[in-house]
Amino acid sequence: MIVEQWVLSGREEGRQEGRHLGGKAFAIEHILEVLNERFQVNVVAMLTPALEAIDDLDVFKGLLRSASAAEHLEDFVRTLENCVNGTQ
């Protein structure tokens, strides 16, 4: 009985981790797509490491809004740096 509960608990944790990682990958992909489309610059190599350093899916929501609204790529990069450094 205890082993069964432990196994079921491990499975659920694995599912939650998978959903989180999938959501993170989805968010990163869409942020980069918006930036590439808006600014006609391939920013994947430049921004992917900073985006991958973020674990909070709510931060990604804000970054997606920022990517859509930023007047210049540099504005988005500043916002991203603030998120990574914990100042936003």
Side-chain angles (χ1 to χ4, degrees):
M1 186 70 169
I2 291 175
V3 172
E4 263 181 48
Q5 291 174 341
W6 182 70
V7 168
L8 290 175
S9 174
R11 285 183 186 160
E12 182 58 30
E13 287 178 24
R15 284 187 192 107
Q16 290 175 355
E17 174 97 8
R19 282 191 292 270
H20 176 78
L21 291 175
K24 180 176 176 173
F26 181 84
I28 290 171
E29 177 184 344
H30 283 81
I31 289 168
L32 293 173
E33 187 175 314
V34 166
L35 293 171
N36 287 334
E37 185 66 28
R38 290 198 63 227
F39 300 110
Q40 301 297 308
V41 175
N42 187 348
V43 296
V44 174
M46 180 178 76
L47 298 180
T48 298
L51 290 166
E52 288 178 343
I54 298 169
D55 283 323
D56 186 340
L57 294 180
D58 288 331
V59 171
F60 284 116
K61 289 179 187 177
L63 286 172
L64 184 57
R65 283 191 296 273
S66 178
S68 298
E71 191 170 328
H72 304 283
L73 180 59
E74 293 78 14
D75 297 333
F76 175 81
V77 171
R78 234 183 335 275
T79 300
L80 176 60
E81 288 171 347
N82 290 337
C83 289
V84 171
N85 296 328
T87 58
Q88 190 171 29

